[in-house]
Amino acid sequence: MAFRYPDDVPVLASGEVTLRAHRQQDLDAIVEQARDVEMVRYTTVPRPYGRDDAHDFLQRAASEWEKGTPTSRRGWAITTSAAGEQPRFRGTVDYRPTGVGTATIGFGLHPAARGAGLMGRAVSLVLDYAFTHDDIEVMHWQAVVGNWASRKTVWKLGFRLEGTVRKLLVQPGSAHDGWIATLHRDDPRRPCEPWPT
């Protein structure tokens, strides 16, 4: 049976947080998010980031779901809605399966949505889906050293920091030292080690 995008993308929800397929109406907010100084600093977004880049991102998101292979990226738009309001795009979250029981998670929030614990709830929904529906046994996380907001998100969810690797993460024009952490599907979803002082 053919996969229909966006209709067949699983919708994941908890409280006011809903993860759904990306839509064309997200485009302007995606551009705003990708131009944010923190996104430029810690991710591989094109520089400068324009509407064509956002169109390409939306097409790749659809294509990955439609391929439906064991190694296709699973990506969602993060949305929230208050009572009586239309859901608003807040960011993106995805994971990239290897096909052998592991995957790497990635995420980013629109600057207007940061600081409220939203990403932790979104990542938790994705972990539930990956461990239950995709037979992922271990989820990996990587981030440029210094990206404390990302590290705190996964720390709260029980990821164990495995170490720092020199020049692990390549960004346009440079390579940066990177943190690596992991979460086994049977691990408790709470911090497993003290937060670094």
Side-chain angles (χ1 to χ4, degrees):
M1 187 166 94
F3 186 92
R4 298 167 302 152
Y5 185 89
D7 298 345
D8 292 338
V9 174
V11 175
L12 312 178
S14 176
E16 78 277 14
V17 178
T18 300
L19 309 185
R20 56 147 172 87
H22 290 86
R23 301 175 181 163
Q24 285 296 319
Q25 70 197 49
D26 301 331
L27 192 140
D28 289 336
I30 290 170
V31 172
E32 290 173 2
Q33 176 181 323
R35 289 180 176 173
D36 176 70
V37 65
E38 295 297 299
M39 289 294 291
V40 172
R41 180 177 180 189
Y42 292 123
T43 73
T44 60
V45 293
R47 296 118 202 258
Y49 195 97
R51 292 178 64 82
D52 288 345
D53 297 303
H55 278 293
D56 291 345
F57 171 80
L58 291 171
Q59 289 176 343
R60 284 193 309 275
S63 173
E64 288 292 312
W65 277 108
E66 289 168 347
K67 282 192 295 190
T69 70
T71 57
S72 297
R73 180 180 298 215
R74 281 76 155 150
W76 290 266
I78 303 167
T79 67
T80 61
S81 59
E85 292 183 2
Q86 287 290 99
R88 298 178 62 186
F89 174 90
R90 296 300 193 179
T92 59
V93 59
D94 67 36
Y95 67 94
R96 299 164 292 284
T98 62
V100 290
T102 65
T104 300
I105 196 160
F107 46 85
L109 272 182
H110 189 282
R114 294 178 189 153
L118 175 62
M119 187 55 80
R121 287 175 276 167
V123 170
S124 188
L125 287 168
V126 170
L127 292 171
D128 289 342
Y129 180 85
F131 292 149
T132 304
H133 297 283
D134 234 350
D135 203 28
I136 300 299
E137 182 179 358
V138 176
M139 188 67 76
H140 297 152
W141 163 88
Q142 300 176 355
V144 171
V145 169
N147 189 347
W148 290 101
S150 183
R151 182 167 168 179
K152 193 160 208 176
T153 295
V154 297
W155 171 79
K156 287 180 177 179
L157 292 170
F159 279 73
R160 178 179 305 280
L161 185 69
E162 305 290 357
T164 302
V165 179
R166 289 179 289 183
K167 304 299 182 186
L168 173 70
L169 299 172
V170 176
Q171 293 179 286
S174 61
H176 299 272
D177 295 352
W179 288 319
I180 297 178
T182 61
L183 180 74
H184 189 277
R185 65 182 166 209
D186 295 331
D187 289 341
R189 298 276 182 88
R190 60 179 182 271
C192 63
E193 52 200 354
W195 180 248
T197 55

